[in-house]
Amino acid sequence: MYKCSIILAAGEGKRMKSETPKVLHKVCGKEMVNHVIDIMRKSGLEDVNVIIGKGADKVKASTESRNVSFSVQNEQLGTGHAVKCAADFLKGKQGTVAIFTGDAPLIKIETVEKLLKFHEDEGFKATLLTSVVDDAAAYGRVIRNEQGQVEKIVEFKDCSKEEAEVKEINAGMYCFDIESLLKSLEKLNNNNAQGEFYLTDVIEILKNENKPIGAMPTEFEETLGVNSRVELAQADKILRKRINKKHMENGVTIIDPENTYIGSEVEIGNDTIIYPGNVLEGKTFIGKNCILYPNSRIQDSVLEDNINVQSSVVLESRIGENTTVGPFAYIRPESVIGKSARIGDFVEIKKSTIGDNTKVSHLTYIGDAEVGSKCNFGCGTVVVNYDGKKKYKTIIGNNSFIGCNTNLVSPVEVEDNTFIAAGSTITDKVPEGSLAIARARQVNIKGWVEKNK
Ligand code: UD1
Ligand code: CA
């Protein structure tokens, strides 16, 4: 049967008190609405329509790359009104539409698949996902009749005292028969406490027409809707726990999972050990047998096998196997570090290539440079890549020994098998096989101290 999906993402999220639309707040490094889109796709729902309104441009810009279509809700008149704004998307389609809210990112793929199957196998016209909780808070209540069939959903603000005590809540995740939904949307009114057109009222409308309605309970953890920063932190914690568990099951040692922050897209090889305080973000890939000592931030980077990193920042870069990084190194975007290299303490590498077996052990800046293999940088080397207006490139060949406290004034080239004396300021090419000394010769004045007492 044909299936598609609608994601509600037009609301403002007043309770977030934010300039950013609610659905763009991130959980484990990914926008909530993008979590929901990805889950829909992985559940076999290819055709995804996102309803945008408040902050539409921002939501569109953040979701566009995921190949979704959009419907616009110009005024936020409620969840039912929002779905009505997607009528053009639904028109002429026959089958099932799964409707999910963009502020509930914890739903599991297998639950969405189960919901779709239950809906279609049983021939329901509407099927809702529910969960049973001790504190139903502000969620809509699922009201069942004596036979246990779903009669309606009542929003918390519209609940009678008895209804408020019901512990089964509406997750805001549904499957509908498209034609039945479109007809019911026409019948919605806004005679309720919030003066909104509620999607939830579609259930009662269908029930009154004797259409079969299903309800499938699941864990509350999966249905958590994020309306405030407190709930955002709760969602983050739940997802983080799941992500870390998955990596541990794959053979990664995480010393303290509660204090290890791994984004949902990160991949990690087995036998890698991760100490607390590490933050792995974006599309990061960590190989096997790495040790991430405490407190690094690694974003959108590839680390090959057997790499050690300690208390460092690595952004949009690639590091070859058996290399060690840190403590306190800063590897900035577009850097490529070779194999068995060393990037030591207080070293900054920016948009540079560093060859295999090259050691940059301490207090050095390398920017806009191409460095060969088996080089050794003495303490305090500076690549002077910027003249205040433009950036220039430095090229260093293989097997070069750069003495301590050297300045390499770009653009400049240092050829293979060279040696630069400590304290040199290099402004001209150093030809292959040479020693370069670029500093004033030392003068010793005998008896000077005695004379000047
Ligand atoms: C909604 C449900 C409630 C359920 C809860 C689950 C309704 C009336 N209530 O309440 O039964 O328990 O979700 O989390 O549906 N949105 C729009 N346009 C609008 C209003 C909202 O696109 O005009 C979007 C929001 O961006 C959000 C989602 O719909 O992603 C839910 O809206 P929200 O205001 O958070 O609804 P709840 O009060 O949580
Ligand atoms: Ca909500």
Side-chain angles (χ1 to χ4, degrees):
M1 196 189 277
Y2 173 79
K3 295 191 239 312
C4 61
S5 171
I6 289 177
I7 299 172
L8 302 186
E12 180 177 12
K14 287 194 191 76
R15 289 163 279 180
M16 295 298 283
K17 306 202 169 131
S18 176
E19 306 276 305
T20 303
K22 176 170 72 175
V23 296
L24 294 186
H25 282 264
K26 289 178 180 175
V27 169
C28 290
K30 181 155 99 182
E31 299 81 5
M32 292 197 276
V33 65
N34 281 331
H35 276 290
V36 181
I37 293 171
D38 292 350
I39 292 162
M40 295 295 106
R41 284 274 158 70
K42 288 179 185 158
S43 308
L45 297 158
E46 278 303 318
D47 196 0
V48 177
N49 187 261
V50 181
I51 302 177
I52 53 178
K54 277 272 151 57
D57 291 347
K58 288 183 186 168
V59 178
K60 201 170 174 186
S62 301
T63 53
E64 229 158 16
S65 67
R66 284 176 158 78
N67 258 324
V68 293
S69 58
F70 297 97
S71 298
V72 178
Q73 185 193 25
N74 285 320
E75 263 184 303
Q76 282 59 59
L77 303 179
T79 49
H81 177 259
V83 176
K84 239 175 144 175
C85 294
D88 280 347
F89 168 73
L90 291 173
K91 228 165 251 162
K93 289 178 174 156
Q94 281 181 344
T96 301
V97 56
I99 301 185
F100 281 66
T101 56
D103 64 351
L106 298 175
I107 186 70
K108 291 182 179 165
I109 295 156
E110 58 260 35
T111 307
V112 179
E113 288 170 344
K114 236 169 99 182
L115 183 73
L116 282 162
K117 188 167 185 315
F118 182 56
H119 175 78
E120 291 182 351
D121 288 356
E122 302 291 324
F124 294 127
K125 296 297 177 195
T127 308
L128 48 139
L129 196 68
T130 74
S131 61
V132 177
V133 275
D134 285 336
D135 175 14
Y139 288 92
R141 307 303 202 252
V142 178
I143 309 300
R144 293 178 185 258
N145 63 20
E146 276 127 45
Q147 289 82 52
Q149 292 158 330
V150 174
E151 293 261 283
K152 58 179 174 181
I153 297 167
V154 182
E155 287 308 293
F156 174 64
K157 287 184 180 155
D158 298 295
C159 277
S160 66
K161 227 177 147 215
E162 284 147 37
E163 287 166 340
E165 269 153 36
V166 169
K167 293 191 184 315
E168 186 175 17
I169 60 122
N170 167 35
M173 304 171 188
Y174 327 77
C175 289
F176 290 100
D177 165 61
I178 294 172
E179 282 172 293
S180 309
L181 173 69
L182 282 171
K183 276 188 209 141
S184 309
L185 288 173
E186 294 303 320
K187 298 175 188 156
L188 288 179
N189 66 55
N190 62 352
N191 303 329
N192 53 52
Q194 303 188 75
E196 288 184 358
F197 296 90
Y198 294 159
L199 177 61
T200 45
D201 285 348
V202 166
I203 301 300
E204 192 178 8
I205 291 169
L206 291 172
K207 183 72 203 171
N208 289 340
E209 292 168 357
N210 293 315
K211 301 269 169 59
I213 295 183
M216 191 183 98
T218 191
E219 297 280 322
F220 175 62
E221 195 194 85
E222 288 185 70
T223 65
L224 180 79
V226 173
N227 301 301
S228 66
R229 307 273 179 164
V230 172
E231 285 164 341
L232 187 70
Q234 283 168 351
D236 207 89
K237 191 169 179 178
I238 292 166
L239 192 61
R240 189 184 327 142
K241 204 170 155 188
R242 278 193 212 159
I243 290 170
N244 289 349
K245 183 162 173 267
K246 174 191 82 184
H247 290 296
M248 290 187 279
E249 283 167 357
N250 287 343
V252 177
T253 294
I254 299 178
I255 309 259
D256 181 3
E258 294 232 341
N259 292 295
T260 304
Y261 307 84
I262 304 177
S264 45
E265 322 255 289
V266 174
E267 290 178 50
I268 309 173
N270 65 316
D271 288 325
T272 282
I273 301 171
I274 305 179
Y275 284 77
N278 277 291
V279 182
L280 311 181
E281 303 176 319
K283 287 209 188 317
T284 286
F285 177 91
I286 311 278
K288 296 179 184 182
N289 280 309
C290 292
I291 306 180
L292 305 184
Y293 290 106
N295 302 326
S296 288
R297 174 172 168 233
I298 303 175
Q299 185 194 61
D300 293 314
S301 293
V302 175
L303 272 64
E304 294 177 1
D305 299 341
N306 298 306
I307 289 171
N308 288 5
V309 182
Q310 187 169 342
S311 304
S312 293
V313 176
V314 181
L315 309 175
E316 297 168 43
S317 291
R318 188 179 179 100
I319 302 176
E321 58 185 36
N322 301 313
T323 287
T324 65
V325 175
F328 317 117
Y330 184 18
I331 300 179
R332 293 169 54 193
E334 294 181 57
S335 294
V336 179
I337 316 288
K339 297 176 181 162
S340 302
R342 157 131 199 80
I343 307 298
D345 51 274
F346 305 103
V347 171
E348 177 174 339
I349 310 281
K350 180 233 151 186
K351 204 177 176 182
S352 295
T353 309
I354 309 289
D356 297 346
N357 296 294
T358 285
K359 311 263 179 282
V360 190
S361 296
H362 10 240
L363 298 158
T364 290
Y365 172 70
I366 299 179
D368 304 303
E370 249 173 57
V371 178
S373 58
K374 295 190 183 150
C375 292
N376 188 83
F377 282 72
C379 181
T381 301
V382 176
V383 171
V384 185
N385 61 326
Y386 185 49
D387 65 1
K389 288 198 188 100
K390 272 183 79 179
K391 304 250 161 74
Y392 302 92
K393 194 164 179 172
T394 279
I395 297 174
I396 299 174
N398 301 323
N399 290 305
S400 292
F401 184 97
I402 317 287
C404 289
N405 202 24
T406 292
N407 298 311
L408 296 150
V409 182
S410 310
V412 74
E413 191 177 347
V414 178
E415 293 189 341
D416 293 349
N417 301 310
T418 42
F419 199 106
I420 296 174
S424 293
T425 292
I426 300 296
T427 52
D428 297 322
K429 180 192 254 188
V430 180
E432 184 168 357
S434 333
L435 163 70
I437 309 177
R439 62 181 187 225
R441 210 171 258 284
Q442 184 169 332
V443 179
N444 293 333
I445 303 175
K446 275 197 180 150
W448 186 93
V449 173
E450 188 58 32
K451 257 186 244 161
N452 287 282
K453 250 192 182 155

